[in-house]
């Protein structure tokens, strides 16, 4: 199986948005400070009743991004297998109104990454992540940042596996999901 990843324009955002981002929450991470290692400790806890989490149902869908942000300097990429869209990633860079970028010109944010449920755990996410990382490096970014929540245990494991470090934890910032905890992951990029 060959996974092809290519950059696309905003015109592809409708098709990009058709790739489901929903996942089943079967466990959450409880987060505690780990003073011994200057970081955080994640402890997995099963949920009493699994449920479906769909980010597109509670936030703007990809086709709406250009109406909210200046996406001219964003990297949009899709993954295809046998010509079919199976995944996508969006990397934000140099977008002043996007607070996640912290006002920095050397930081890129992996704004969105999604893999069709039938293609998860087949290397699509890894291919998209590597492409996002390469895209940020070309723009001389020193770091890549990713936001997720403590309910997305598979994503947390994925980011840790690809060298991101949990550096910030914020509670109570999602009014629509008050029990969720924001997790901000960073990866230092080798710019040379």
């Amino acid at each position: 199986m060959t996974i092809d990843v290519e950059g696309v324009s905003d015109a592809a955002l409708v098709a990009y948005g058709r790739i489901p981002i929903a996942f089943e929450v079967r466990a959450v991470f409880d987060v505690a400070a780990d003073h011994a290692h200057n970081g955080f400790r994640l402890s997995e806890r099963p949920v009493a009743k699994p449920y479906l989490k769909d980010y597109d149902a509670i936030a703007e869908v990809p086709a709406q991004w250009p109406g909210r942000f200046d996406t001219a300097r964003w990297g949009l990429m899709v993954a295809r297998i046998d010509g079919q869209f199976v995944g996508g990633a969006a990397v934000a860079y140099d977008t002043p109104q996007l607070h996640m970028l912290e006002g920095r010109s050397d930081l890129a944010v992996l704004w969105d990454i999604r893999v069709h449920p039938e293609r998860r755990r087949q290397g699509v996410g890894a291919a998209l992540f590597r492409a996002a990382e390469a895209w940020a490096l070309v723009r001389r970014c020193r770091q890549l940042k990713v936001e997720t929540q403590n309910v997305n245990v598979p994503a947390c494991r994925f980011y840790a596996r690809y060298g991101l470090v949990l550096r910030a934890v914020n509670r109570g910032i999602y009014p629509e999901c008050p029990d969720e905890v924001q997790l901000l992951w960073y990866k230092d990029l080798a710019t040379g």
Side-chain angles (χ1 to χ4, degrees):
M1 169 181 70
T2 302
I3 302 166
D4 298 308
V5 177
E6 66 177 340
V8 294
S9 71
D10 284 357
L13 283 174
V14 171
Y16 176 111
R18 287 188 195 116
I19 302 163
I21 197 168
F23 62 97
E24 187 174 29
V25 177
R26 296 181 159 280
V28 298
F29 275 132
D30 292 323
V31 185
D34 183 352
H35 300 292
H37 296 98
N38 230 7
F40 300 96
R41 183 173 27 87
L42 300 176
S43 302
E44 187 173 341
R45 172 178 48 87
V47 296
K49 184 177 179 186
Y51 62 94
L52 190 68
K53 175 76 179 195
D54 185 356
Y55 291 113
D56 285 339
I58 60 172
E60 71 274 342
V61 296
Q64 295 172 319
W65 296 340
R68 183 169 173 211
F69 303 107
D70 176 2
T71 58
R73 290 177 298 279
W74 286 30
L76 302 171
M77 48 208 81
V78 295
R80 289 186 174 99
I81 295 175
D82 297 328
Q84 299 293 314
F85 277 7
V86 295
V91 185
Y93 163 76
D94 194 21
T95 308
Q97 75 269 36
L98 186 61
H99 297 276
M100 288 287 290
L101 287 168
E102 304 170 18
R104 294 173 50 189
S105 61
D106 65 343
L107 176 66
V109 171
L110 181 58
W111 184 255
D112 184 84
I113 186 167
R114 55 184 64 211
V115 176
H116 194 283
E118 294 174 6
R119 293 298 187 166
R120 291 179 184 162
R121 299 181 186 263
Q122 296 179 15
V124 176
L128 286 164
F129 183 82
R130 285 191 299 271
E133 203 172 12
W135 187 92
L137 277 167
V138 166
R139 281 142 191 89
R140 299 175 127 7
C141 292
R142 298 176 58 81
Q143 285 186 317
L144 182 63
K145 178 180 180 180
V146 182
E147 173 188 13
T148 194
Q149 293 73 36
N150 66 320
V151 298
N152 198 341
V153 171
C156 293
R157 288 202 168 115
F158 176 87
Y159 297 135
R161 188 169 50 251
Y162 284 90
L164 286 97
V165 176
L166 180 59
R167 293 201 178 139
V169 172
N170 300 303
R171 299 173 195 282
I173 67 164
Y174 302 117
E176 68 282 358
C177 303
D179 295 330
E180 292 187 13
V181 178
Q182 180 192 54
L183 306 177
L184 298 176
W185 299 80
Y186 290 79
K187 181 173 185 177
D188 294 335
L189 301 176
T191 57

